[in-house]
Amino acid sequence: MALFAAGALVLSACANTPQDEPDGGGSSAAAAGGGTLTVAETNQFSSFNPNTSNGNVDINSKLITYPTRSWFNYVDGSSFAAGNPSVKKDESFGTYEVESEDPLTVKYTVNEGVVWSDGEPVDADDLVFAWAIQSGHYNSETVTYFDYAGDSTTLGLTEFPEVGEDGRSITLKYSEPAADWEVAFAADAPAHVVAKNAGLADGKALLDLLEAQADVAPTATADNAELRAVADFWNTGYDSTVLPSDPELYLSSGPYIISDVVENQSVTLVPNDKYTGDLKAQLDTIIMRTIPDATAAVQALGNGEVDVISPQSSADTLTALKALDGVTLHQGDQLAYDHIDLTFNNNGPFDPATYGGDAAKAQKVREAFLKTIPRQQILDAIITPQKDDAQILNSQLFVPAQASYEDSVASNGSADYPGEPDVEGAKALLAEAGVTSPTVRILYNVNNPNRVNAYTLIAASATQAGFVIDDQGDAAWGSRLSDGSYDAAIFGWINSGIGVAGVPQIFSTTGGGNYNGYSNAKVDELAAKLVVTLDTDQQAAIQEEIDPYMFADAYGLPLFQSVGLDAVGDRVDGVNEYNPNQAGVWWNTWEWTVSD
């Protein structure tokens, strides 16, 4: 499963009243139990497609992937509390079976009668289209079609699927063993809608196009016009901060469907009356309110304006929550970490191209900047007040609770960047490089107090070493991560907790989450080896080999593992434990109920 960019996007909100059902939306069925549940989240909704680099922000995934998409399995949020992260099959959607282990061959079949909320069947057209996006199969050395933010390495081991005669099944054959095969393939967009908006007749026409281009596109040096139209729509056609006028752009195959979006303020979900699966909606309405300020979120919970909050954790927030009556608090370490990444390919101060291709000079400037990062101050300002035994994070691939963390830290080179800044060492490196007063544009979420705090401390320290800091704080930071308009970015990654595909996604040259242009042939080789390694001990060993390159190449620095929390009012059932992965409280919306 993919890693998702984590962090607050924007703005305070007020609750809104759900609108009537849009034509063709397939919504507003009466729910068992009924009632309305309101959740306050930090981020603002920005896209109905959370799988592109622009839409790859946690709140988009929470509102699309979990309530409005059905698939063959899902990550069981309750399994983290038991210490055994796992997936659950949803056989009311369909089935998958391993037909052969050598070569690995998996058949996926959607149940008859499973439909999108416009009544169109979920079928082989949708499965093949999802494979096309997530496999990276159609990209050549010179042409990239789908702006997929996840990792394509695992499904990239398969060729064009065999489509079943029933029209509801496909079979994937892998060229090598695949560590993440069970979670590498996931729900995406309805093929018939993408086809229509790309000028094709229907989903079958899209399937035919994909089949015709399957052997052509991977070696092509120029675009195929029809395939480019498909990709362009999928890449950008679902981006919207309001409810689209065309209801086909927000279809659902899951228990809920979005019925209203108030820009930067709220998203409303109601039951999908075309849903036939077992994970049925229990509520009449779910409202997500965007409340980026943690104090305001706590006040809204205390006043009964919202029922569940997932605010930015802080000592003040914890104190305020513990003072509330009728509220249950869930806490834990997130499967997330904050970090600062440097950009390698934008003609900025850290790019060799800026110095005529002199990689050694660019390396010295990167090292100099990283030496100024006051990681202990950042930890003490943000995390230590909540967790007195918190440590600076010294790995890009492991967190302290993992067995490999200490072994990796002992030899990964993180000791070259201790918690306290080395301003004099940074000055010396700039002098060696012959670079004076380099300007560094730092991108961060201006509405996230933790990121503002980190930026402020970093900017002050780097300025002492001679860097000129350009404040690029931006409420729309997520949409800029892949555009090269900054030289350093402070943000977070949050993991699904299942599988190893997050490593190539972020650190491989062609990874969908590689936003900073990092490229190391040895890392590419090891990441490719990782995703075909089945033994978990060997997976850990390979990641221990990768970790040192991040420090040797001055990729950036990890800052801290995030502390997470949610708080739930007593009228709510179904949000019963802390879920540390990217779904947060949203992983089981079909189990949510309220009592008044």
Side-chain angles (χ1 to χ4, degrees):
M1 296 289 284
L3 289 158
F4 284 80
L9 289 181
V10 231
L11 191 66
S12 61
C14 59
N16 65 287
T17 301
Q19 295 181 343
D20 293 335
E21 174 186 347
D23 291 341
S27 62
S28 231
T36 296
L37 186 153
T38 303
V39 182
E41 286 277 358
T42 304
N43 296 355
Q44 66 184 26
F45 180 79
S46 62
S47 179
F48 290 83
N49 185 354
N51 295 310
T52 66
S53 58
N54 184 55
N56 182 30
V57 180
D58 62 346
I59 194 60
N60 296 335
S61 179
K62 287 174 179 178
L63 292 172
I64 300 298
T65 304
Y66 302 98
T68 76
R69 292 292 184 269
S70 292
W71 200 243
F72 296 98
N73 60 31
Y74 56 91
V75 177
D76 179 5
S78 64
S79 65
F80 292 99
N84 184 31
S86 61
V87 297
K88 278 190 174 181
K89 294 182 178 180
D90 179 9
E91 295 189 348
S92 69
F93 174 84
T95 58
Y96 57 99
E97 58 180 326
V98 176
E99 294 189 329
S100 168
E101 293 187 355
D102 189 17
L104 176 61
T105 306
V106 186
K107 182 177 182 179
Y108 297 84
T109 304
V110 180
N111 293 340
E112 190 170 3
V114 174
V115 298
W116 294 97
S117 52
D118 63 351
E120 288 293 314
V122 179
D123 57 19
D125 300 347
D126 303 302
L127 302 186
V128 172
F129 183 51
W131 170 85
I133 294 164
Q134 295 161 25
S135 67
H137 179 84
Y138 293 86
N139 297 334
S140 69
E141 289 186 2
T142 56
V143 179
T144 299
Y145 286 105
F146 299 104
D147 180 24
Y148 180 51
D151 173 59
S152 298
T153 310
T154 298
L155 285 181
L157 299 171
T158 61
E159 294 301 315
F160 191 84
E162 176 186 339
V163 178
E165 293 183 1
D166 58 11
R168 294 181 287 104
S169 64
I170 67 168
T171 300
L172 298 178
K173 183 181 291 185
Y174 288 82
S175 60
E176 295 186 63
D180 286 359
W181 72 268
E182 193 169 14
V183 293
F185 187 35
D188 206 83
H192 67 285
V193 173
V194 175
K196 173 184 174 181
N197 283 275
L200 300 175
D202 52 25
K204 178 61 165 58
L206 175 54
L207 189 152
D208 291 343
L209 171 64
L210 294 173
E211 187 169 14
Q213 287 293 311
D215 294 330
V216 178
T219 58
T221 57
D223 280 5
N224 172 274
E226 289 184 308
L227 191 55
R228 172 55 61 194
V230 169
D232 284 350
F233 177 77
W234 184 85
N235 292 342
T236 63
Y238 289 98
D239 293 341
S240 180
T241 58
V242 298
L243 194 72
S245 58
D246 181 357
E248 288 189 338
L249 298 184
Y250 53 95
L251 296 184
S252 170
S253 61
Y256 288 94
I257 183 170
I258 291 177
S259 67
D260 190 34
V261 182
V262 178
E263 188 170 31
N264 301 337
Q265 295 187 32
S266 65
V267 177
T268 301
L269 299 111
V270 296
N272 170 17
D273 63 10
K274 297 295 195 298
Y275 177 73
T276 59
D278 291 342
L279 310 180
K280 298 184 185 303
Q282 304 298 306
L283 297 164
D284 294 320
T285 311
I286 298 173
I287 300 172
M288 186 286 293
R289 287 181 53 185
T290 303
I291 306 180
D293 181 75
T295 299
V298 173
Q299 289 174 345
L301 180 64
N303 294 336
E305 299 171 34
V306 302
D307 302 293
V308 180
I309 66 173
S310 299
Q312 183 98 70
S313 181
S314 71
D316 290 343
T317 300
L318 286 171
T319 299
L321 284 171
K322 289 175 181 178
L324 295 181
D325 293 326
V327 169
T328 299
L329 178 63
H330 303 136
Q331 295 175 255
D333 289 325
Q334 280 190 298
L335 293 174
Y337 71 102
D338 270 30
H339 51 94
I340 183 166
D341 297 349
L342 308 187
T343 307
F344 285 66
N345 63 345
N346 68 340
N347 294 305
F350 307 131
D351 182 355
T354 301
Y355 311 107
D358 189 336
K361 179 175 284 193
Q363 170 88 10
K364 287 182 187 295
V365 178
R366 291 197 303 273
E367 289 178 357
F369 184 75
L370 295 184
K371 281 185 176 293
T372 71
I373 307 297
R375 294 198 293 157
Q376 186 65 51
Q377 284 181 268
I378 294 169
L379 183 79
D380 289 344
I382 299 171
I383 301 298
T384 305
Q386 309 171 60
K387 185 179 180 183
D388 55 16
D389 61 347
Q391 308 171 35
I392 294 168
L393 189 64
N394 280 315
S395 171
Q396 294 276 11
L397 301 181
F398 301 105
V399 294
Q402 294 176 288
S404 294
Y405 179 78
E406 289 190 8
D407 287 343
S408 188
V409 169
S411 58
N412 67 4
S414 59
D416 292 339
Y417 302 98
E420 300 300 332
D422 180 4
V423 171
E424 294 306 314
K427 290 179 178 178
L429 281 169
L430 288 178
E432 289 177 25
V435 176
T436 303
S437 303
T439 297
V440 179
R441 298 166 294 172
I442 303 181
L443 176 68
Y444 64 96
N445 180 9
V446 73
N447 286 328
N448 183 319
N450 285 359
R451 308 281 158 71
V452 172
N453 212 337
Y455 164 78
T456 302
L457 292 169
I458 290 169
S461 181
T463 299
Q464 293 177 29
F467 289 93
V468 177
I469 302 302
D470 182 347
D471 185 344
Q472 291 287 308
D474 192 341
W477 65 275
S479 65
R480 293 178 55 187
L481 279 174
S482 60
D483 70 7
S485 64
Y486 59 90
D487 307 307
I490 307 166
F491 66 107
W493 286 113
I494 183 165
N495 200 323
S496 72
I498 302 289
V500 295
V503 175
Q505 177 194 354
I506 300 173
F507 301 115
S508 290
T509 300
T510 58
N514 181 348
Y515 296 132
N516 62 335
Y518 175 70
S519 182
N520 182 305
K522 185 62 178 177
V523 171
D524 291 347
E525 177 187 333
L526 289 168
K529 180 180 177 182
L530 177 66
V531 299
V532 299
T533 299
L534 305 184
D535 182 86
T536 55
D537 289 338
Q538 292 179 25
Q539 289 175 0
I542 293 169
Q543 290 177 87
E544 286 186 39
E545 286 188 69
I546 295 172
D547 206 14
Y549 287 101
M550 303 303 110
F551 296 95
D553 293 339
Y555 170 94
L557 286 177
L559 301 175
F560 54 79
Q561 183 180 7
S562 302
V563 175
L565 62 84
D566 61 63
V568 185
D570 284 351
R571 68 189 292 264
V572 176
D573 192 23
V575 185
N576 300 326
E577 62 230 332
Y578 181 70
N579 176 23
N581 83 343
Q582 58 203 18
V585 300
W586 294 86
W587 76 271
N588 65 335
T589 53
W590 56 88
E591 294 181 356
W592 291 2
T593 61
V594 294
S595 58
D596 292 306

